[in-house]
Amino acid sequence: AGAFKERPAKPTAFRKFYERGDFPIALEHDTKGNKIAWKVEIEKLDYHHYLPLFFDGLCETTHPYEFFARQGVHDMLEHGGSKILPVIPQLIIPIKNALNTRNRQVVCTTLKVLQHLVVSGEMVGEALVPYYRQILPILNIFKNMNLNSGDGIDYSQQKRENIGDLIQETLEAFERHGGEDAFINIKYMVPTYESCMLN
Amino acid sequence: MQPKSMTRAKKWDEVVENAYRFQLAGYRDEEEYRSVKQVDSAEKWDNGFVKKLQRKDGCFYYYNKARECSDKDVPKTKLYNY
């Protein structure tokens, strides 16, 4: 019925802001070592404004939007600490939109971002539990998406782009960092998930 | 202070990692960063890796806690002697 079919992403607010030059980042043609040059210190950024915008850009698949959104999210999560937790409710819709595109590249990037998000600050993993209903349905659809290549080589495993494996890792990260209610809530949305902590 | 000699890194270690981070931001090493920025030292992670640097044009580079200097970057990294 088309559950796996890609759905075209709508134009993102991230792209509009980027093209208008609203982000405090220096645009360079030689992105050395895949780095963003920030014009202001990340610690001084308004996370309520910028973090949801960068998350919105996760739907992008074209350069340079895709790179700046992915790397921007990474930098802000790595250096945000306690500023991330209060913004969680604003991140749910962009996360859901990105997963709903069902685009393999976008889903892979978003899963890696989710794994980073749960370890980015204290209580962030717990704060995500009430939103599992919105995030996990797509993970449930793609959970068994592993290539049966017989004795051939599946290169996506080396590149860490295998959706089935990434979903398993992500659910385990959710369970580890989501507190005591995490497992039962994951199980409710993804019935084939087995605990990585019990037993 | 000007360096007397320079060698290229042959294999990865913590010193090479930090040299790579300074050179990515446009500095020779921490010595130059300190003198240009007039600071005591660069901001570092608890494992000693450089965390954040301000480039000469005023922009900031943020680095991960984990290793960033890949094997192919090692021979490009320069180590200065004073």
Side-chain angles (χ1 to χ4, degrees), chain A:
Chain A
F4 299 101
K5 212 167 118 190
E6 273 183 40
R7 318 267 161 100
K10 297 186 193 86
T12 63
F14 175 81
R15 187 182 287 224
K16 191 175 90 184
F17 276 69
Y18 177 88
E19 281 175 348
R20 218 162 55 186
D22 280 355
F23 289 117
I25 53 184
L27 312 181
E28 297 167 316
H29 295 290
D30 58 332
T31 47
K32 286 179 195 162
N34 284 342
K35 283 237 166 293
I36 289 183
W38 294 88
K39 287 182 184 165
V40 296
E41 290 164 276
I42 298 183
E43 300 87 331
K44 291 183 183 157
L45 284 181
D46 175 3
Y47 267 57
H48 280 283
H49 178 67
Y50 286 110
L51 196 56
L53 267 179
F54 275 101
F55 267 77
D56 182 64
L58 291 175
C59 290
E60 294 285 354
T61 52
T62 48
H63 191 73
Y65 314 108
E66 182 268 344
F67 165 72
F68 280 109
R70 177 166 45 82
Q71 194 61 35
V73 165
H74 175 81
D75 282 1
M76 288 188 77
L77 291 181
E78 186 84 1
H79 301 274
S82 61
K83 292 173 86 174
I84 296 165
L85 183 62
V87 195
I88 292 290
Q90 290 166 260
L91 303 180
I92 304 305
I93 287 174
I95 291 170
K96 201 173 94 177
N97 289 343
L99 292 171
N100 273 336
T101 62
R102 292 159 164 80
N103 174 294
R104 307 299 183 268
Q105 184 198 343
V106 171
V107 172
C108 278
T109 308
T110 309
L111 289 169
K112 288 178 195 169
V113 164
L114 286 173
Q115 291 180 24
H116 193 176
L117 181 63
V118 291
V119 295
S120 62
E122 267 186 51
M123 298 302 288
V124 169
E126 284 87 341
L128 281 172
V129 177
Y131 301 105
Y132 283 176
R133 271 167 180 270
Q134 296 178 66
I135 302 171
L136 298 190
I138 302 290
L139 275 67
N140 186 38
I141 292 175
F142 285 99
K143 183 166 177 282
N144 294 316
M145 191 120 176
N146 274 321
L147 188 68
N148 183 352
S149 55
D151 62 353
I153 297 169
D154 176 8
Y155 287 98
S156 71
Q157 291 180 355
Q158 288 177 15
K159 291 186 284 183
R160 230 180 130 234
E161 285 169 2
N162 187 299
I163 292 194
D165 290 351
L166 277 172
I167 288 177
Q168 182 64 26
E169 282 175 24
T170 309
L171 293 175
E172 288 180 9
F174 274 17
E175 186 187 352
R176 283 205 180 86
H177 299 97
E180 55 184 18
D181 298 331
F183 173 66
I184 196 162
N185 282 286
I186 296 173
K187 187 80 178 167
Y188 182 71
M189 297 305 297
V190 187
T192 56
Y193 179 71
E194 295 296 340
S195 174
C196 65
M197 292 167 78
L198 300 172
N199 307 323

Side-chain angles (χ1 to χ4, degrees), chain B residues 60-77:
Chain B
F60 295 89
Y61 268 168
Y62 286 81
Y63 298 90
N64 296 338
K65 193 171 179 181
R67 173 180 170 175
E68 285 196 22
C69 176
S70 66
D71 283 338
K72 86 175 164 46
D73 297 316
V74 169
K76 293 184 214 157
T77 306

Side-chain angles (χ1 to χ4, degrees), chain B residues 43 45 47 57 60 62:
Chain B
E43 204 172 308
W45 289 99
N47 61 4
D57 66 359
F60 295 89
Y62 286 81

